[in-house]
Amino acid sequence: MCWCGSNIASTVDLDRVQKAVEKLTNVVHVEQNKYTCSEPGQAQIVAGIREHNLDRVVVAACSPRMHEKTFQRTVAKAGLNPYLLEIANIREHCSWVHTSVEEATPKAIDLLRAAVAKVIRNTPLTTSTIPVEKRALVIGGGIAGIQAALDIADAGHQVVLVEKEPTIGGRMAQLDKTFPTLDCSACILTPKMVDAAQHPKIRLLTYAEIEEVGGYIGNFEVTIRKKARSVNEDVCTGCGICWSKCPSKAPNEFDCGLGERKAIYIPFPQAVPNKPVIDRENCRYFTKGKCGVCKKVCPAGAVDFEQEDELLRERFGAIVVATGYELFDHSVYGEYGYGKYPDVITGLEFERLINASGPTGGKLKRPSDGKIPKTVVFVKCVGSRDEAKGFPYCSRTCCMYTAKQAILLREKMPEAEAYVFYMDVRTPGKGYEEFYTRATEEFGVNYLRGRVARIYPKGDQLVVRGEDTLVGAQVEIEADLVVLATAMVARRDAAELAQRIGFSYDQYHFFTEAHPKLRPVETNTAGVFLAGACQGPKDIPDTVAQASAAAVKVAMLFSRDELETNPMVATVDEGTCSGCEWCKPTCPYGAIDIKTIEERVGKRTVSRRVATVNTGLCQGCGACTVACRSGAMNLKGFTNEQILAEVEAICL
Amino acid sequence: MKEKLSELKETVARLLKDRTVDFFIAYQAGHSQVEPIPFFLTTAEHVENLFLNNFCAHNLSKYLLDYLAGDEVVGVLAKGCDLRALKRLLTDHRVERGRVFVVGLPCIGIYDRKKVQEVYPAGLVEVVEEGEEVILRGETGDKRVPRKEYLLPRCLTCPDHNPEFYDLLLGEKVANGPLAEEDYSDVRALEEWAPGERRRYWTRQFERCLRCYACRNVCPACNCRVCCFDVAEPRWLGKGTSLDEQEMFHFTRAMHVAGRCTGCGECERVCPVNIPLMKLNKKLAKDIGALFHVPQAEIPTEVEPLGQFRLGDPDEFN
Ligand SMILES: Cc1cc2nc3c(=O)[nH]c(=O)nc-3n(C[C@H](O)[C@H](O)[C@H](O)COP(=O)(O)OP(=O)(O)OC[C@H]3O[C@@H](n4cnc5c(N)ncnc54)[C@H](O)[C@@H]3O)c2cc1C
Ligand code: SF4
Ligand code: SF4
């Protein structure tokens, strides 16, 4: 029994607990430590086992989530099977949630009584091993996916990088300069894109999506749909004749629809791979049946109108999900014009408008009439920190990129005025506060604290009306351009992808990490890791850090040839199983199948259907064991008998 | 119903003779007119003992579970409600369709033995239907009563007077009467009681339970190979009679059939101490209808409301 310093000992009277527990049947020896997880504490357990010849151990301490593994190793050191250990959680379940010793002490006794009742019914469990396929799948080719793929490949493992767009690069490729150093985004990103494309261990699959994911850690079976590009990548040289001659135009998604591209196109000049794709919806050949100019002009004969989607089946040992984010659709804000005023733009559109490779060649012209804006108003927290219309969370990057954009504006056009409406300025990063200070002091950006109440047109300008809460006055600014720092939100297909792979996501559809502090890059599905903004809003430095962390997790996994399986899996008592198949659809991991067994009944051999559990897929969640009415499904380590014994120990 | 007896005899004789079925499950006369009992025929000679009237309530398809290990084809007589019970067994993969020969029996309602016996404790000769009324003809004279009041509760909300499928139908299909929607008024009434009052009500009910397990034995949804109430280890329930154990039995039984109960009401019909089991079953059916949009009449369904992991489930799974 652990004091946990004073964490437990100050609320639970452990001497009283000891007296009560010593009287329980099967209890041979009880002792207390100040910190059981410390080396002396563990040594005491080992000594106790040896001295008293114990064959079961209960540690009454913190949650099994904290130290179950530690103590399993401890008892193993003394020669016991690690699964003959039980933890009674008298900290999180007891001392931390009670203030009165009189309440906490009897409860601690109950918890121990339950643990003793259970441990008596514990049986030794053994792990088995499964081979690891040392190939990684990275989904999403933004900076997160690129970084993760490069790191895994540099560790010596094969990587397939799947990107749904025709090029890798993600949002970072759309940015102009990046805070807090103001280095050009493309200058630092494109070398990585090229590295990824040329790395002998990385295979890029662009214009591709995940169709199906089966299997389990070490052995995922993935079907990838490679969408028809209509261009044979192997022969295309990327010369560009096709897109210069193509007669059909469509809005360029890469420029947020502010500029145009051809029907056969590469999204931007540094696209990787530098191979075009035909947007069939806008192609004359596909919509009207005639044209085919690109096919005629292509010197390599690469254009292939007949190409079809291809399904590739691949095996992977680990998956890194790096699918990034989208921007909040601000058209729900009536006060900002429901997204109908062309000169109210998003931050991302601003990035494209000041970028040299953007639709205006880097000249900041406003979308409505191409005029050079003289007054630009930036509005922060559009959709962030707004439970009513958007999301309650903070998007984390907008404070910084708004400061950046205001600086870029003032740097490029010193005669233009920049105003920023803000709720707070959050700068918790290295060099971030200094960067913000430069915006206000060196670049003279006007920060106004308050929400914008309304934006409405007046002549060819927009009036931005809001409150300056620091001065306590209404302000109205006649602006030529308004830039909204719209919230970073999850991709619209995020939930669907998570479901397809089989891991969880939060209420906003950002992917959930296994532990918010201690396991930030793992999902709760073994072998699936997270990187970048798909897990929550984050900027590039954090994205890259998380991507490298995910890569290390993959490399760790691949450093072994075999994996130990979790022995706490479901088993079927075939004698009891009715073969009703109720458990099969309740298993979230598709671990249950039905098989036919033969048995003797009287003089005949009859066949009968029963459930069977794939121990590689089973995660030991226990859903099937409660679904099974006759109790034929049982979870090793948490059997019906064990749980019933615990209940009876507490209730009877 | 009675008028179909001769056709039934002919049919069963023929099926047994030409070996379409190896044996047949139907009804024979019991102690009285109101208590027909199951009849298992192995040869055509026995057809003379077949019996049929408007008290043939028993769901016979449940007996199919006794013939799982084997390859005989079993013939069974099934009304609309019995067919839903059979569907339950088929959906639960307990019975193979190929081994059942269904003789469908159109039916416009079965009389509730207990209600009739209140009027006629003994000596009932027959029941004659006359539109919305019935004549209870007994040794001591006739009694004319409203038909609806003497039907089994399940017949009042019967969604299907004809079995949904069959291999052979006795006589013509009958027209489905106007379907009285299940209104759950009895459940609603209970829901409005104060918790303490409800508790007292159920205590009074469960106290009477004899743990005879008749309700389980008759229930088409209780079709496990091994019932959790019968195993020694783990001991889910003690063997003795005590309110705790009785309650535990009833809650467990109700939860084990939740979302699977076909609404036949056989449990309540067979209970020797008149525990209103259908109130529990219906409460669950009502909630499942509201939460999962699966009405009672659609059960059994392909996608079981409580038997699947759904990715779009509003609750988190961790
Ligand atoms: C206006 C603006 C300015 C910014 N400025 C800065 C800055 O100056 N400095 C800074 O540090 N950060 C900045 N950021 C934040 C930066 O954009 C992100 O931190 C970064 O892009 C996150 O990278 P990512 O790889 O996680 O996601 P993304 O860049 O979104 O990449 C995800 C990739 O995955 C692909 N994908 C998505 N779904 C699938 C799927 N189902 N299958 C296959 N592929 C898929 C996408 O096509 C995309 O290529 C800014 C953000 C905005 C909105
Ligand atoms: S314990 Fe969970 S994962 Fe394992 S077979 Fe049962 S339902 Fe599936
Ligand atoms: S409810 Fe009735 S039928 Fe069911 S066990 Fe109790 S007494 Fe028997």
Side-chain angles (χ1 to χ4, degrees), chain A residues 232-312:
Chain A
N232 183 341
E233 279 176 277
D234 295 336
V235 296
C236 169
T237 60
C239 70
I241 293 182
C242 54
W243 67 81
S244 70
K245 298 283 187 230
C246 169
S248 320
K249 286 184 178 159
N252 190 353
E253 299 83 355
F254 184 77
D255 286 335
C256 306
L258 293 169
E260 285 182 324
R261 58 157 171 85
K262 297 297 182 56
I264 183 163
Y265 72 105
I266 57 168
F268 59 101
Q270 302 101 312
V272 170
N274 184 31
K275 315 273 160 105
V277 35
I278 295 182
D279 159 13
R280 292 188 173 181
E281 268 163 38
N282 287 298
C283 163
R284 274 194 204 174
Y285 178 83
F286 282 101
T287 54
K288 304 214 171 66
K290 35 183 192 266
C291 179
V293 169
C294 49
K295 191 173 175 131
K296 280 174 217 137
V297 299
C298 177
V303 176
D304 177 3
F305 294 133
E306 312 302 314
Q307 213 178 58
E308 283 177 11
D309 286 7
E310 219 183 309
L311 290 182
L312 311 173

Side-chain angles (χ1 to χ4, degrees), chain A residues 570 586-589 591-592 613 617-625 633 635:
Chain A
T586 58
C587 175
Y589 305 98
I592 300 173
V613 177
L617 286 174
C618 175
Q619 305 279 319
C621 71
C624 56
T625 64
M633 269 290 180
L635 192 62

Side-chain angles (χ1 to χ4, degrees), chain A residues 7 11 36 65 140 161 174 182 282 334 416 427 458 477 581 605 613:
Chain A
N7 271 302
T11 332
T36 312
R65 285 204 162 207
L161 177 56
Q174 293 174 281
L182 291 186
N282 287 298
T427 56
K458 184 178 171 195
I477 296 165
E581 292 192 24
T605 304
V613 177

Side-chain angles (χ1 to χ4, degrees), chain A residues 537-605:
Chain A
K538 52 177 70 66
D539 57 18
I540 298 164
D542 285 358
T543 297
V544 171
Q546 199 187 15
S548 291
V552 171
K553 293 284 173 187
V554 173
M556 265 164 56
L557 180 62
F558 291 176
S559 68
R560 285 172 284 183
D561 296 323
E562 286 186 323
L563 280 180
E564 281 203 343
T565 57
N566 167 23
M568 291 184 163
V569 291
T571 49
V572 183
D573 173 1
E574 292 181 352
T576 308
C577 176
S578 304
C580 72
E581 292 192 24
W582 193 265
C583 54
K584 196 176 163 194
T586 58
C587 175
Y589 305 98
I592 300 173
D593 254 320
I594 302 294
K595 66 173 182 188
T596 305
I597 53 165
E598 308 240 296
E599 65 184 6
R600 300 281 300 166
V601 175
K603 288 199 183 84
R604 318 189 252 205
T605 304

Side-chain angles (χ1 to χ4, degrees), chain A residues 326-377:
Chain A
E326 257 172 55
L327 288 182
F328 177 73
D329 175 8
H330 62 273
S331 66
V332 303
Y333 281 89
E335 61 267 42
Y336 301 162
Y338 292 115
K340 285 198 197 106
Y341 308 140
D343 294 333
V344 177
I345 62 171
T346 66
L348 200 58
E349 287 169 331
F350 184 89
E351 298 279 343
R352 295 314 302 147
L353 287 177
I354 53 164
N355 189 278
S357 72
T360 53
K363 265 220 170 69
L364 183 60
K365 296 180 189 165
R366 52 186 220 169
S368 64
D369 52 10
K371 265 204 343 219
I372 311 280
K374 293 252 155 37
T375 307
V376 180
V377 173

Side-chain angles (χ1 to χ4, degrees), chain A residues 3-15:
Chain A
W3 297 8
C4 193
S6 63
N7 271 302
I8 294 170
S10 66
T11 332
V12 177
D13 180 348
L14 285 171
D15 291 333

Side-chain angles (χ1 to χ4, degrees), chain A residues 139-146 162-165 167-173 175 177-180 208-210 322-327 346-349 351 397 400-401 404-405 432 486 488 491 493 497 531-534 538-541 543:
Chain A
I139 308 171
I143 181 60
I146 294 172
V162 173
E163 165 60 55
K164 73 167 178 210
E165 299 296 331
T167 175
I168 57 170
R171 295 276 178 234
M172 189 174 165
L175 306 181
K177 296 204 167 66
T178 53
F179 66 75
E209 278 173 39
I210 304 303
T323 49
Y325 67 101
E326 257 172 55
L327 288 182
T346 66
L348 200 58
E349 287 169 331
E351 298 279 343
T397 54
M400 289 304 291
Y401 78 63
K404 168 189 80 175
Q405 293 176 344
Y432 286 13
T486 45
M488 287 172 86
R491 296 255 174 203
D493 61 352
L497 183 73
C534 59
K538 52 177 70 66
D539 57 18
I540 298 164
T543 297

